[in-house]
Amino acid sequence: MSEGYLKGRIRRDDIVSAAAAVYGEAGYHGASLREIAKRAGITHAGLLYHFPTKEALLAAVLERRDAEDAVREQLSAPPGLEVLRRFIALAEHNVRHRGIVEVYSRLAAEAVSEAHPAHAYFARHYREARDSIAQSFHALAETGELRPGVDPDLAALTFVALMDGLQVQWLTTPTHVDAVGSLRLSLQTLLTVPLFPN
Amino acid sequence: MSEGYLKGRIRRDDIVSAAAAVYGEAGYHGASLREIAKRAGITHAGLLYHFPTKEALLAAVLERRDAEDAVREQLSAPPGLEVLRRFIALAEHNVRHRGIVEVYSRLAAEAVSEAHPAHAYFARHYREARDSIAQSFHALAETGELRPGVDPDLAALTFVALMDGLQVQWLTTPTHVDAVGSLRLSLQTLLTVPLFPN
DNA sequence: CCTACCGATCGGTAGG
DNA sequence: CCTACCGATCGGTAGG
C-alpha cells in the first residue's frame, strides 16, 4: 500500500516489459540481463535485486502473459462458437502487436527441449489450448454445427498448429501472409454455420 | 580428387553434422564453435580452419539441407497429387529424425528477424514451398480434384503453416500429437479424391 | 590442423 | 538500487 511498494511494482513491470521485448529479438538464452536492464533504466545488478536469477525473470514474463490472455479470453465463455471467435480475436490482436508474437514464437521453439526452463509452461499452454478448442468442437458437433466427418480432437490440434505456423510465416514474410484471414477461412471450412454472420 | 581433398570433404561433413545437431539443441546464436568442434573431434580453432566464420558454417548447414530435400522431393514431379504425397512423405521422414525437425524449427523462429543470417534462406524457403504447393492445388482445381470453394493459394499457405505448427507441438508434447496423421487428414479434407487410394 | 592468446561479454555475488 | 568484482565462455587471430 505504501508508495515504496507501488514504485517497486511499477519498476518490476518495466523490467518485465523490457525482458519480453529482448526475448522476442534474441530469444531467452540470447537475451542478456545487461541489455534488459539498460532498457529498464537500471544496471544489471539492479535488475537482480528485483529478480534473483535469469530464470525468475522468465517466469515473471510468462506469468504476465497468462494473466493478459486470461483477461482477453474471458475464461467464463461456455464451449462453442464464442470461444472460437475469441481465438480469432486473439489472432487479430497479435498481428497488431508483432512483439508479442515474436517473443511467443521464439520461446516456444526454444522450449521444445525438456531442459528449457519454459518447457513445462508451453507443454501446459498447448494442452490447455487444445482441450479448450476440442471442447468447443465437441459442443458444435452435438448441435450439428460441425461439418460431418470432422474429428473434434484432431480439428483442435490442427487449429492450434495453424495459429502457430501462420505466425512464423507472417513474421518472416509479412507482406505475403494474411494470418487472420487464413485462420478464419480454415475455421469456417470446418463449420456448417457462419462464424461471423453478417 | 586426391586423398587429401577427400579427407577434407569428410571432415567438413562431420563438422556440418555436428553443427546441425547443436543448432537443434541450442539454436544458432546459442551454439558455440567449441561445442560443435568437440563433437567433430577437433578444436574450435581447427573448425575455423575449415569454416572461416560462424556464419559460414551456418550457410554450409543450410546448403546441405537444401541438397538433401532436393533429392528427397525429386524436383521433377509435375504439379498435382504426387507433389502433395511427397510433402506427406517428408513429414513422415521428419518424425523419424527428430534432430532435423529441431534444428529447422529453432532456426526458423530465430530467423524471423531480418538481421539474422538465415533470414533470406527461410523467406525463400517459405515462398518456394507455398508456390510449389499452390501450383499443385491449382492443377487439382482444373481437374475437379480440389474441393469446390477452396482457394488454392490460401490452401497452400495454410498447408505449410500446418506442417510447421504441428512440428513444434509434436516436439513439445510428442505423446499427444500425431503430426503425420493430422497433416494427412487435413489435406484429404481439401480434396475430392483419395490422397492414398487403397 | 593445434597451442596460445585477445578483447568482449556473460550470470551472479559482495558489500554497501 | 549501485560499484566493483568473480570465473566462465564467447568468436576470432597469430604463428606455426
Side-chain angles (χ1 to χ4, degrees):
Chain A
M1 293 299 166
S2 83
E3 196 189 340
Y5 279 14
L6 177 62
K7 267 201 309 208
R9 214 178 50 201
I10 291 174
R11 174 50 50 93
R12 286 169 59 94
D13 264 7
D14 289 346
I15 296 171
V16 170
S17 297
V22 179
Y23 292 169
E25 295 169 22
Y28 168 68
H29 283 122
S32 78
L33 297 181
R34 281 166 175 85
E35 176 62 27
I36 295 167
K38 198 207 297 184
R39 298 199 193 187
I42 57 174
T43 65
H44 95 282
L47 186 158
L48 287 165
Y49 165 79
H50 293 285
F51 300 95
T53 65
K54 196 183 180 185
E55 273 195 35
L57 178 54
L58 173 62
V61 169
L62 296 178
E63 275 167 27
R64 200 179 72 178
R65 196 201 139 86
D66 267 350
E68 286 171 352
D69 278 10
V71 168
R72 206 170 347 268
E73 282 187 33
Q74 301 243 23
L75 302 157
S76 49
L81 271 189
E82 186 54 27
V83 168
L84 301 178
R85 284 194 199 103
R86 281 183 188 168
F87 274 96
I88 301 286
L90 177 61
E92 277 170 344
H93 177 264
N94 285 347
V95 297
R96 274 179 281 112
H97 300 82
R98 182 182 164 106
I100 292 176
V101 183
E102 282 174 343
V103 61
Y104 172 84
S105 301
R106 294 255 341 203
L107 289 183
E110 271 187 354
V112 301
S113 159
E114 291 189 24
H116 194 284
H119 178 80
Y121 171 86
F122 277 97
R124 181 171 51 79
H125 172 86
Y126 280 131
R127 190 168 8 93
E128 288 176 355
R130 284 193 300 256
D131 287 351
S132 166
I133 294 173
Q135 277 186 38
S136 289
F137 279 142
H138 275 288
L140 292 173
E142 287 183 16
T143 53
E145 294 168 297
L146 190 68
R147 201 158 61 78
V150 174
D151 178 84
D153 295 312
L154 224 44
L157 170 63
T158 60
F159 186 70
V160 175
L162 195 53
M163 285 189 75
D164 283 5
L166 284 170
Q167 282 178 351
V168 175
Q169 265 189 92
W170 170 69
L171 288 172
T172 306
T173 56
T175 317
H176 300 77
V177 175
D178 175 8
V180 176
S182 302
L183 189 65
R184 191 170 359 199
L185 198 65
S186 292
L187 179 55
Q188 182 59 72
T189 301
L190 300 173
L191 307 177
T192 60
V193 294
L195 184 59
F196 296 99
N198 307 22
Chain B
M1 292 301 168
S2 83
E3 196 190 340
Y5 278 18
L6 178 60
K7 268 202 310 208
R9 214 176 51 201
I10 292 175
R11 175 49 50 91
R12 286 169 58 93
D13 264 7
D14 289 346
I15 296 171
V16 170
S17 297
V22 179
Y23 291 169
E25 295 169 23
Y28 168 69
H29 283 121
S32 77
L33 298 182
R34 281 167 176 83
E35 176 62 27
I36 295 167
K38 197 207 296 181
R39 299 199 193 187
I42 56 175
T43 65
H44 96 282
L47 186 158
L48 287 165
Y49 165 78
H50 292 286
F51 300 94
T53 66
K54 195 183 181 187
E55 272 195 38
L57 179 55
L58 173 62
V61 169
L62 297 177
E63 276 168 27
R64 200 179 71 178
R65 195 201 139 86
D66 267 350
E68 287 170 352
D69 278 9
V71 168
R72 204 168 348 266
E73 281 189 33
Q74 300 242 26
L75 302 157
S76 48
L81 270 189
E82 185 55 27
V83 168
L84 301 178
R85 285 195 198 102
R86 283 184 187 168
F87 274 96
I88 301 286
L90 177 62
E92 278 171 344
H93 177 264
N94 284 348
V95 295
R96 277 180 278 113
H97 300 82
R98 181 181 163 106
I100 292 176
V101 183
E102 283 174 343
V103 60
Y104 171 84
S105 300
R106 294 255 341 201
L107 289 183
E110 271 188 353
V112 302
S113 158
E114 291 189 26
H116 194 283
H119 178 79
Y121 171 86
F122 277 97
R124 182 171 49 79
H125 173 85
Y126 281 130
R127 190 168 7 94
E128 288 176 355
R130 285 193 299 257
D131 287 352
S132 166
I133 294 173
Q135 277 186 37
S136 289
F137 279 142
H138 275 287
L140 292 173
E142 287 184 16
T143 54
E145 294 168 296
L146 189 69
R147 200 157 62 76
V150 174
D151 178 84
D153 295 312
L154 224 45
L157 170 64
T158 61
F159 185 70
V160 175
L162 195 53
M163 286 188 74
D164 283 7
L166 284 171
Q167 283 179 350
V168 175
Q169 266 188 92
W170 170 69
L171 288 172
T172 305
T173 57
T175 317
H176 300 76
V177 175
D178 176 6
V180 176
S182 303
L183 189 65
R184 191 166 4 196
L185 198 66
S186 292
L187 179 54
Q188 182 60 71
T189 301
L190 300 173
L191 307 177
T192 60
V193 294
L195 185 58
F196 296 99
N198 307 22

